[in-house]
Amino acid sequence: MPGRVSNKSARSSAVSRKSSVQTLNSRSASTRASTNSAEIPDEGLDSTLRKRICSIFADAQRSAATHRKSVISLRKVQEFCCYEPTKPRKHAEEDFDEDDFTREIVRCVARILVIKKSEPVGDRLVRFLGSFLKHGTEKDNEINRPVDADEAEIFPETPSSRLTSSIITLLLQLLPSKDKVVRFRCTQIISFIINTLDFIDDELFDYIRLGLLKRLRDKESSVRVQAVHGLGRLAGEGDAQAEAEDSDDDDTATGVLEKLLEVLQNDPSGDVRRTLLLNLPLTPTTLPYLLERARDVDGATRRALYARLLPALGDFRHLSLTHREKLLRWGLRDRDDAVRKATARLFRERWIEDVATSHRPAIEPIEGEAGGAVKEPPVDASPSYEGLLELLERIDIVNSGGETGIALEAMREFWDGRPDYCDAITFDDAFWNELTPESTFIARTLNGYCRSSDDSRLVALIEDKMPEVTRFGYLLQAQISALIEQVKKIATAEGEEGAEVEEDTVQLEFVVEQMLQIALTLDYSDEIGRRKMSSLMRESLAAPELPEESTKLVVEVLRCVCGGYEAGEREFCEVVLEAIAEVHDTIMGEDAAKDDGDDSFHSAVSELSDDEMPAKGKKGKKNDDDSELSEQQEVDEEKAIKEIMVNMKCLHIAQCMLQNVQCNLEQNSHLVTMLNNLVVPAVRSQEAPIRERGLLCLGLCCLLGKNLASENLTLFLHCFARGHPALQIISLQIITDILTAHPTLLSPTTAITSTTPPSSPSKSTTSPLLPPVIKAFRKALKHTDPNVQSTATLSLSKLLLSRTLLDSSLLHSLLLTYFSPHPEQRGNAATRQTLTYFLPVFTRSRPENAELVGGLVVPLLRELLNAQEEAEDDEEVLGEWVGLNGVVAQLCDWTDPRRGVGMERGDGVQGEVDGAVHLLLASNLLARIVTSACSREERKMLVGVLGKCAVLPSKTRGELVRGNLEAVREVLDSKVALDASARNALGKMESALQRLVDKMREEEQTVVVSGVEADAEVTETEERAGRRSKSARSSEEAIANFSDATPDAESTKFENLGHEDAEGAETMVVETVNMKTEKVPLRVGNERNSLADDSAVQSLLESWDSEVSED
C-alpha cells in the first residue's frame, strides 16, 4: 500500500541533448525529406516512464481482453510516481513525480485523437482510458478518505482527479478543431469519462456542458452522437446550475434537457435520435417525447424503442390507455418486419408478465442451510388466465377489438408466440355461463388462430375445446335475447341509470359480435346443428332491436349456413326478404294498431259529445281544434321518424344481403322484387339518409347486372354533380365499382345504319358514357373537400391501373397534383400517399403505361417551370418542394425501360429490354427544344432531361432511332444549346444514337445477304428438280426398251426394281442426283456386276454418265 501523497514538485533535470549543429548538406536533405510531413514538436528524450506507459497502451490497443491487467499495471506506475513508498526501494531507480506521469498520459491521449472512427484501436484505447480513470479514482478515494467520513461528503482532490482535469482541459481546447476526426475523438473521450466517473470538478462542469452543447450543432453526425452520450448524463444535473457567464452563445440560454429534446425531434440523423432515445432519463417530462419515436422515420430507432426502451420502462400499466393503444397500433402495423416482431415480443412477454405477476400467489424466499444466504425464489412463468383477462382489459378491447382494431392483431401475435397459453386455456361450462367481453374475445381469437393455422394439432385442439354446433346455438341464442332486452331498456332508462344500461348494452353487443364471428368458422355438416343455427339466424334477423353490426354478422352467418351452391343462395335471398317484410310489419303494425285504437276512441268520444253537448261556444271549439291540430302534428312527426327508421333498417338488411350474393340479378326473382319494392322507392325518397342508403343498395344491384348498371350509371353521375360531399363520395365509389365489374361499358360502340352496305366495315364511336365519367373525375380531383379529392384519386388510380379508363388528361392532373409546388394544388396527405404508391407502379407495370407518362413529361415540366417562376420569391412554397431536378429524376426513373416489371429476374439476369419508351420521350424533348416558343430556362431543363434518357435499341420503334439522330444533329446545327453542359449531353446522345444506327445497318445488311442466299438456294433447288425429272424419263424409256429383249427372269427382276415402290424409286433417283459426280458410278456399278455383257444396259449407263458429267 502506498503511503502519503508525494510532495515532490516538477523539476527540471539536467538532460544532455545532442548538438543541433548540422552541415549544409544534411540540412538541405532533411528539408527535402520533411516537405510533405507535419513538423513533430520536441518532446524530450525517452525515459523509462515513457517506455513503460507506452508499452501498457500498446498492450491495451491490441485486445480488450488484457484491459484489466493493463489497468492494474498502469495503476502501479501511477502509485510509484504520485505516492511515497512505504518501504525503501532495494535498487536505485530513476525518480519521477506526478507531473511526469500526467505529461506522459496526456501525450498518449493526444496520439488517440488522430485515430479514425473506422479503426477499432481507437475505441479500445478510449475504453481502456476510462477504465483506468475509474479504477484510479476508486483507489485514491479509499486511500485519502478518512475512516469516519460520510459517504455523501465531498470527495477530496486526488492524483486521479487532477489527471482527469488535465485530460479534459486538453480535450476542451481541441473540441472546436477543424479536423472532424479530432472533434470526434475529443467528444468521445469526454463523454466516456463523464459516463464512467461518479463526480467531476465543478469548475470543469460548465465548460464541459458548454463544449458538448456546441457539438450538438456539429455537421458530422458521429460527433453529435458522442455529444449526446455525454449530455444524456448531464441532462438532470446541469439545469440547476447557472450557465457560463462569459458565453454569448444562445445555445446556453436554456437547460440541457430542453436542448436534447429539441435534438430528439429535429436532428436529421437517425443515429443521433436513437442514441438520445436510449440515453435520456425516464421522467414524466421526457416520456411523451420518447414515445413519439414510435413514428420515427428511421427503422432502427423505432426498433430500439420497442426492443430496448419499453422493456426497461417497467410496468406498462403506468402508461395511459391512449399511449398503450397507440404503441400497439404503431408497432404491429409498422412497415419494418423487425419492429413488428419487437412489438409482438413486448406484448406477449413483457406486458403479460407485468399483469400475470400480480395474479400469481407470492412465493417466499428460500432460506439457506445452516444460516446461509437467502436464495431468490424461482421465477413462476406459468400461464395466468386472470392475467390475460386483465391485459385485454388494459387495452380496452371493447373499442379496439373490432375488425379494424389493433387488439385482434395483438392477440394473433400472442397466440403465435405463447403456445403454453393455447394449451392451458379451456372453455368449460363455467366459461360460457359467465361470458365477459374479455373472455369472449379470448375464445374468438384462439378459435380464429387455430382454424386458420396449417397445423393439424391446433385444429384438433380447438375442436376439442369448442362446444358442438347445437350447444353453441343455444348459447348464442341466450346472448342475443339478453342483448335485445337490454336494447329495449335503453328507451325507458334515464340519468345515471341510462348511462349504465347503455354501457352494459355496448358490452353485450360486443359479446354477441364475437360469438357470431366464431359461428362463421364452425362446421355445419351436422344437420341438427345447421337447422338450429338457421332458425336462430332467421329469428334474430327479424328482430327490429338488433344493432346494425350484429345484423351484418347475422346475415353473413345465415349465408354460411345456407350453403354455397346456387339453390342455397336462392334460399338465402328468400329468407332475408321474408325477414325484411317481417321487420316492416312488426314496426309499422304496432303503429297501425295504435292508430286504429285511437281513431275508434276519438270517434266514440266525438259522437257522445255531439249528442249530449250540442251547444258549445265558438271559443271553446277553436281551442279544441288547435289542440287536436298540434296533437296530430306530433303524431305525424313521430310516424315520419318511425317510417325513416323502418326504411333504414330494411335497407341495411338488404345491403348486407347484396354484399353476400354473386348471382345474376335478372335470374333471381327475389332480388328483382326487392329492387322494385324497396330500393327504387328509397332512391326516390325525399329524406337524405334513406336516399343515400338506397343509392348504396342500387349500386350493389348494378354489380350483379350489366344492363341495370348501364341504365343507372347516368344517375350516379347526376348524384355526384348535384349532391353534397358525402353523397359525392358514395357516388364515386359506386361508379368505380361498376366500371371495374363491367369494363365494357366504356368500350367503343359500333354504329350500323340502314344505309350501310353489309360488306362495308362498321364504324366505331366513343362510348357515350366516357365523356361524363371523365368530366366527373376531373371535377373531383379539383374538389375543395379533402375526402372527395382523396376518394377520387384512389378510385381513378384503380381504374388506370386496371386500364379500364385510360385518359391522358386525367393522368396529367394526377402528375400535376403530385409534383405541384403550390400547397393548394399539391393535395392532402391521403391523396399524396395514394399517388406515391400508384405512379411508380402504374408506370413500370406496362410499357404502354410508361409511354403514356413519357408523352406527358414535356407539358408537365413546362407547367412546373411556370409555377416555380411565379413562386420564386415565396420561400414557404418552394421550401418544401423537391425542385425541378427531383421531378426530372423521378420521371426518368419511372419511365426507364430497364426498371420495368419483368426486367429484373429472380436469378439476377437482365431480361430483354425495349428502349422505345425513352426513345419516344427523347423525340418529344427534341421536338420542343427546336421550337421558338421554348425559353432558355426551359430548353436548359429539357436538355438535362435528355441527358438522363437511356439510349437503347427497340424492335417496335426502330424508326425513332434515326429520327432522333437527325433531330439531335438539327439541334446542334441550330446552336440553340449554348452552354458546354448542354453540348456535351447532346454530343453523348448523338454518339449513342449513331452506334445504334450503325448496328441496325449491319443487321439490315445481314438480312439482305441472307435473303439473296435464300433466293439462290431456291433457284438451285428448282434446277435440280428439272434435271431430276429429265433423268427419270430417260431411265424409264431405257428400262422399257430393255425389257422387250431380256429373258423372263431378268424382266421380272427389273419389273420389281421399277414397280416395287414408286416412292422408293423416286427416292433412289433423288439420292443419286444429290450425290457428288464421282460417286455416281459407284452407285450404278453395283448393277454392272450382273449385267456387264448386255449392250443395252451399257449404252444406258454411258448416256447417264454423260448427262451427269455435263451437269
Side-chain angles (χ1 to χ4, degrees), residues 836-858:
T836 301
Y837 172 79
F838 161 72
L839 289 175
V841 172
F842 172 78
T843 309
R844 294 171 180 168
S845 59
R846 290 173 176 263
E848 296 84 359
N849 297 345
E851 291 184 7
L852 187 60
V853 175
L856 300 174
V857 170
V858 174

Short mmCIF file of all heavy atoms in Angstrom, two decimals, residues 836-858:
data_model
loop_
_atom_site.label_atom_id
_atom_site.label_comp_id
_atom_site.label_asym_id
_atom_site.label_seq_id
_atom_site.Cartn_x
_atom_site.Cartn_y
_atom_site.Cartn_z
N THR A 836 -48.16 8.32 -54.25
CA THR A 836 -46.81 7.82 -54.02
C THR A 836 -46.70 6.35 -54.37
O THR A 836 -45.67 5.89 -54.89
CB THR A 836 -46.40 8.05 -52.56
OG1 THR A 836 -46.47 9.46 -52.27
CG2 THR A 836 -45.00 7.55 -52.29
N TYR A 837 -47.74 5.60 -54.11
CA TYR A 837 -47.73 4.17 -54.48
C TYR A 837 -48.14 3.98 -55.94
O TYR A 837 -47.55 3.16 -56.65
CB TYR A 837 -48.69 3.41 -53.58
CG TYR A 837 -48.89 1.97 -54.01
CD1 TYR A 837 -47.94 1.00 -53.72
CD2 TYR A 837 -50.00 1.59 -54.75
CE1 TYR A 837 -48.11 -0.30 -54.14
CE2 TYR A 837 -50.19 0.28 -55.17
CZ TYR A 837 -49.24 -0.66 -54.86
OH TYR A 837 -49.40 -1.94 -55.29
N PHE A 838 -49.14 4.73 -56.39
CA PHE A 838 -49.73 4.45 -57.70
C PHE A 838 -48.81 4.80 -58.86
O PHE A 838 -48.65 4.00 -59.80
CB PHE A 838 -51.06 5.20 -57.83
CG PHE A 838 -51.52 5.35 -59.25
CD1 PHE A 838 -52.00 4.25 -59.96
CD2 PHE A 838 -51.46 6.58 -59.90
CE1 PHE A 838 -52.42 4.38 -61.27
CE2 PHE A 838 -51.87 6.71 -61.20
CZ PHE A 838 -52.36 5.62 -61.89
N LEU A 839 -48.21 5.99 -58.85
CA LEU A 839 -47.49 6.47 -60.04
C LEU A 839 -46.33 5.57 -60.44
O LEU A 839 -46.22 5.18 -61.61
CB LEU A 839 -47.01 7.91 -59.79
CG LEU A 839 -48.12 8.96 -59.78
CD1 LEU A 839 -47.57 10.33 -59.40
CD2 LEU A 839 -48.81 9.03 -61.12
N PRO A 840 -45.42 5.17 -59.55
CA PRO A 840 -44.36 4.26 -59.99
C PRO A 840 -44.88 2.88 -60.40
O PRO A 840 -44.36 2.27 -61.34
CB PRO A 840 -43.41 4.18 -58.79
CG PRO A 840 -44.20 4.62 -57.63
CD PRO A 840 -45.21 5.59 -58.15
N VAL A 841 -45.90 2.38 -59.70
CA VAL A 841 -46.44 1.06 -60.05
C VAL A 841 -47.11 1.11 -61.41
O VAL A 841 -46.94 0.21 -62.25
CB VAL A 841 -47.42 0.59 -58.96
CG1 VAL A 841 -48.16 -0.67 -59.39
CG2 VAL A 841 -46.69 0.34 -57.66
N PHE A 842 -47.87 2.14 -61.68
CA PHE A 842 -48.55 2.27 -62.97
C PHE A 842 -47.55 2.40 -64.11
O PHE A 842 -47.69 1.77 -65.17
CB PHE A 842 -49.48 3.49 -62.93
CG PHE A 842 -50.09 3.83 -64.27
CD1 PHE A 842 -51.16 3.11 -64.75
CD2 PHE A 842 -49.59 4.89 -65.03
CE1 PHE A 842 -51.73 3.42 -65.98
CE2 PHE A 842 -50.15 5.20 -66.25
CZ PHE A 842 -51.22 4.47 -66.73
N THR A 843 -46.51 3.19 -63.92
CA THR A 843 -45.56 3.44 -65.00
C THR A 843 -44.73 2.21 -65.31
O THR A 843 -44.45 1.92 -66.48
CB THR A 843 -44.64 4.62 -64.62
OG1 THR A 843 -45.44 5.73 -64.20
CG2 THR A 843 -43.80 5.05 -65.80
N ARG A 844 -44.34 1.46 -64.31
CA ARG A 844 -43.45 0.32 -64.53
C ARG A 844 -44.19 -0.98 -64.82
O ARG A 844 -43.55 -1.97 -65.16
CB ARG A 844 -42.56 0.12 -63.30
CG ARG A 844 -41.58 1.25 -63.07
CD ARG A 844 -40.89 1.13 -61.74
NE ARG A 844 -39.95 2.22 -61.51
CZ ARG A 844 -39.37 2.48 -60.35
NH1 ARG A 844 -39.64 1.73 -59.29
NH2 ARG A 844 -38.53 3.50 -60.22
N SER A 845 -45.50 -0.99 -64.67
CA SER A 845 -46.23 -2.24 -64.86
C SER A 845 -46.32 -2.63 -66.33
O SER A 845 -46.26 -3.82 -66.66
CB SER A 845 -47.64 -2.11 -64.27
OG SER A 845 -48.35 -1.04 -64.88
N ARG A 846 -46.44 -1.66 -67.24
CA ARG A 846 -46.59 -1.95 -68.67
C ARG A 846 -45.79 -0.93 -69.48
O ARG A 846 -45.74 0.25 -69.11
CB ARG A 846 -48.05 -1.87 -69.10
CG ARG A 846 -48.95 -2.99 -68.58
CD ARG A 846 -50.39 -2.69 -68.92
NE ARG A 846 -51.26 -3.78 -68.53
CZ ARG A 846 -51.67 -4.74 -69.35
NH1 ARG A 846 -51.27 -4.73 -70.61
NH2 ARG A 846 -52.48 -5.69 -68.93
N PRO A 847 -45.20 -1.34 -70.60
CA PRO A 847 -44.53 -0.35 -71.47
C PRO A 847 -45.51 0.68 -72.03
O PRO A 847 -45.14 1.84 -72.25
CB PRO A 847 -43.93 -1.22 -72.58
CG PRO A 847 -43.81 -2.59 -71.99
CD PRO A 847 -44.96 -2.72 -71.05
N GLU A 848 -46.77 0.27 -72.27
CA GLU A 848 -47.75 1.23 -72.78
C GLU A 848 -48.02 2.33 -71.76
O GLU A 848 -48.18 3.51 -72.13
CB GLU A 848 -49.06 0.51 -73.11
CG GLU A 848 -48.95 -0.51 -74.22
CD GLU A 848 -48.45 -1.86 -73.72
OE1 GLU A 848 -48.18 -1.96 -72.50
OE2 GLU A 848 -48.32 -2.79 -74.53
N ASN A 849 -48.08 1.97 -70.48
CA ASN A 849 -48.27 2.99 -69.45
C ASN A 849 -47.07 3.93 -69.37
O ASN A 849 -47.23 5.14 -69.17
CB ASN A 849 -48.49 2.31 -68.10
CG ASN A 849 -49.74 1.47 -68.06
OD1 ASN A 849 -50.60 1.58 -68.93
ND2 ASN A 849 -49.83 0.59 -67.08
N ALA A 850 -45.88 3.38 -69.51
CA ALA A 850 -44.68 4.22 -69.49
C ALA A 850 -44.67 5.18 -70.66
O ALA A 850 -44.27 6.35 -70.52
CB ALA A 850 -43.43 3.34 -69.49
N GLU A 851 -45.10 4.74 -71.83
CA GLU A 851 -45.18 5.64 -72.98
C GLU A 851 -46.21 6.73 -72.75
O GLU A 851 -46.02 7.88 -73.16
CB GLU A 851 -45.53 4.83 -74.23
CG GLU A 851 -44.41 3.91 -74.71
CD GLU A 851 -44.77 3.21 -76.00
OE1 GLU A 851 -45.82 3.56 -76.58
OE2 GLU A 851 -44.00 2.34 -76.45
N LEU A 852 -47.32 6.37 -72.09
CA LEU A 852 -48.34 7.38 -71.79
C LEU A 852 -47.80 8.45 -70.85
O LEU A 852 -48.04 9.65 -71.05
CB LEU A 852 -49.57 6.69 -71.19
CG LEU A 852 -50.81 7.54 -70.97
CD1 LEU A 852 -51.31 8.13 -72.27
CD2 LEU A 852 -51.90 6.74 -70.29
N VAL A 853 -47.06 8.03 -69.83
CA VAL A 853 -46.45 9.01 -68.91
C VAL A 853 -45.37 9.80 -69.62
O VAL A 853 -45.23 11.01 -69.42
CB VAL A 853 -45.90 8.28 -67.67
CG1 VAL A 853 -45.15 9.25 -66.77
CG2 VAL A 853 -47.02 7.61 -66.89
N GLY A 854 -44.55 9.12 -70.46
CA GLY A 854 -43.49 9.83 -71.17
C GLY A 854 -44.02 10.89 -72.11
O GLY A 854 -43.38 11.94 -72.31
N GLY A 855 -45.20 10.68 -72.67
CA GLY A 855 -45.78 11.70 -73.53
C GLY A 855 -46.26 12.92 -72.79
O GLY A 855 -46.50 13.97 -73.41
N LEU A 856 -46.40 12.83 -71.46
CA LEU A 856 -46.86 13.97 -70.66
C LEU A 856 -45.73 14.70 -69.96
O LEU A 856 -45.99 15.68 -69.25
CB LEU A 856 -47.85 13.48 -69.59
CG LEU A 856 -49.12 12.78 -70.11
CD1 LEU A 856 -49.90 12.23 -68.93
CD2 LEU A 856 -49.97 13.74 -70.91
N VAL A 857 -44.48 14.27 -70.16
CA VAL A 857 -43.36 14.87 -69.43
C VAL A 857 -43.14 16.31 -69.87
O VAL A 857 -42.97 17.21 -69.03
CB VAL A 857 -42.09 14.02 -69.65
CG1 VAL A 857 -40.87 14.76 -69.11
CG2 VAL A 857 -42.24 12.67 -68.95
N VAL A 858 -43.15 16.57 -71.17
CA VAL A 858 -42.83 17.91 -71.66
C VAL A 858 -43.87 18.93 -71.20
O VAL A 858 -43.50 19.98 -70.63
CB VAL A 858 -42.70 17.88 -73.20
CG1 VAL A 858 -42.51 19.30 -73.73
CG2 VAL A 858 -41.52 17.01 -73.61
#
